[in-house]
Amino acid sequence: MPADVVHAAAPKIESTFKAREVEGIFDLYFYRPIGFWLAQVFARLRMTPAGVSLLAGIFGVVAGHLYFYRDLSVNVVGMVLQVCANAFDNADGQLARLTHQESREGRIIDSVADHLVFVSVYLHLTLRYLFEGSSQAICLLALAAAVSHALQGAAADYYRNTYLYFVTTRARTDLDSSSELRSDFRKLTWRQAPWHKLLLALYLNFTRQQEILAPRLKTLRDVAAQLFHGKIPDSLRTRYRNLASPMLKWWGLLMTNIRMLMLFALLFISQPVYYFWFELIPLNLLFVYLLFRQEKMAGSLLKIAEFEQNSA
């Protein structure tokens, strides 16, 4: 969309949300306003959402490197860069919705950039302790924390997008399944489209992880797609909202903001190693509890979906 059209339309910030109910407090009142302003600037500069995602990734990777140094002033620069990375990460999606450039490739690049940021954080914190003479056991601790982080983030993203699928119409064209992705992956060749095939391979692996973590929810989505073809009945939509809404704020604790705040606090007291333990113990306990709650909810909603179809 041309920049003058964006300006003339005077879009509201709400038009760049996926849905208000899935936004955290910190996002609503800090990152989304900043991201909205940035999205408007990027629209005038004719930047693509993928380009903004790459910029976010660069800021975040550099931030992770700056956590390697046991110097608070250097660490603070890293914190500022990570806040900038998160603001850009919000802005890329807002730009996509503002300019109607939402695409699967954009979502994949955004996901890859997010993963690279936290790989940099975990890697450089681990190197920080190794260079200070810590036991090599720190590598196992960091790896376990990083795997936990990846699984928690994948599940939180999956449940949030599924909420949008059932309760709103915003995400129904964005929802991918591993079977669809596998079919598209096989159509591409490494010789003709190596970049697209690589991105799709990464996204396929990510989607498989999500579906393995939430088998009942995957079944619910598949059944709903087969029975209702994207037109979710009002009774099922209402029931899903009532059951899932209370858990959204808890899933939000497994997203980026709480991790950043904890990491920053631990860097200020020069004890970032406890960030790994934070991932492994409290966040994993919350993760397991939410998985149990959501899978139980999905099972009950399956019965409602089947009843709706039989009574139609």
Side-chain angles (χ1 to χ4, degrees):
M1 179 183 292
D4 55 348
V5 174
V6 173
H7 178 73
K12 294 183 178 180
I13 188 172
E14 286 80 4
S15 67
T16 64
F17 293 170
K18 285 188 174 181
R20 178 173 283 270
E21 55 264 45
V22 301
E23 305 285 352
I25 296 296
F26 205 59
D27 289 317
L28 279 175
Y29 297 104
F30 182 72
Y31 283 117
R32 287 307 191 191
I34 293 174
F36 182 59
W37 177 80
L38 287 171
Q40 291 177 304
V41 171
F42 294 143
R44 293 189 180 94
L45 295 174
R46 302 183 185 278
M47 289 186 64
T48 64
V52 178
S53 297
L54 291 174
L55 283 177
I58 291 170
F59 276 116
V61 168
V62 174
H65 171 71
L66 296 181
Y67 299 149
F68 168 79
Y69 303 97
R70 187 175 282 275
D71 184 319
L72 182 58
S73 60
V74 175
N75 294 164
V76 168
V77 175
M79 297 178 209
V80 172
L81 287 177
Q82 192 161 4
V83 170
C84 291
N86 208 26
F88 276 53
D89 188 42
N90 278 262
D92 60 8
Q94 290 178 274
L95 175 63
R97 290 183 282 277
L98 183 67
T99 58
H100 307 290
Q101 297 182 68
E102 295 167 277
S103 67
R104 176 191 285 173
E105 183 173 333
R107 295 193 300 275
I108 299 173
I109 292 174
D110 181 41
S111 177
V112 170
D114 290 344
H115 280 77
L116 288 176
V117 169
F118 277 97
V119 165
S120 177
V121 170
Y122 283 94
L123 175 63
H124 286 98
L125 288 179
T126 303
L127 291 174
R128 171 176 175 154
Y129 279 97
L130 286 176
F131 274 73
E132 290 173 353
S134 296
S135 165
Q136 292 189 355
I138 192 71
C139 297
L140 295 177
L141 177 63
L143 179 61
V147 171
S148 298
H149 179 156
L151 295 177
Q152 293 162 14
D157 181 71
Y158 193 63
Y159 281 110
R160 185 176 68 168
N161 286 335
T162 303
Y163 178 90
L164 294 172
Y165 175 82
F166 279 98
V167 177
T168 75
T169 59
R170 186 68 67 92
R172 290 186 189 160
T173 59
D174 297 346
L175 210 55
D176 294 303
S177 68
S178 61
S179 58
E180 293 173 347
L181 292 171
R182 191 179 301 109
S183 175
D184 292 343
F185 177 78
R186 289 170 177 169
K187 293 175 184 176
L188 298 175
T189 65
W190 287 108
R191 177 173 295 181
Q192 294 178 338
W195 173 243
H196 294 290
K197 195 169 178 72
L198 174 61
L199 288 179
L200 206 55
L202 295 172
Y203 192 45
L204 174 58
N205 182 63
F206 180 69
T207 305
R208 281 174 178 162
Q209 289 177 5
Q210 292 179 316
E211 293 176 351
I212 290 170
L213 287 169
R216 283 189 181 179
L217 189 61
K218 177 186 182 301
T219 300
L220 176 62
R221 283 172 38 161
D222 291 343
V223 168
Q226 182 180 3
L227 295 180
F228 309 120
H229 307 289
K231 297 179 181 179
I232 307 299
D234 290 340
S235 57
L236 180 58
R237 178 184 297 110
T238 300
R239 185 65 173 161
Y240 195 102
R241 178 188 287 114
N242 292 340
L243 290 174
S245 291
M247 287 182 281
L248 285 174
K249 63 178 179 293
W250 298 110
W251 281 113
L253 295 178
L254 298 179
M255 303 299 281
T256 301
N257 291 337
I258 189 67
R259 288 186 173 91
M260 287 177 57
L261 292 174
M262 179 58 67
L263 175 60
F264 292 175
L266 292 170
L267 284 167
F268 270 108
I269 61 173
S270 296
Q271 295 294 333
V273 68
Y274 290 109
Y275 174 73
F276 299 149
W277 291 110
F278 176 67
E279 277 285 357
L280 284 173
I281 300 176
L283 291 190
N284 268 340
L285 288 174
L286 176 62
F287 176 49
V288 171
Y289 168 73
L290 288 174
L291 280 180
F292 173 78
R293 283 283 306 273
Q294 292 276 183
E295 286 293 279
K296 184 177 180 180
M297 181 197 78
S300 66
L301 288 170
L302 265 172
K303 298 176 182 178
I304 295 174
E306 291 167 353
F307 176 80
E308 282 286 340
Q309 178 63 13
N310 293 332
S311 61

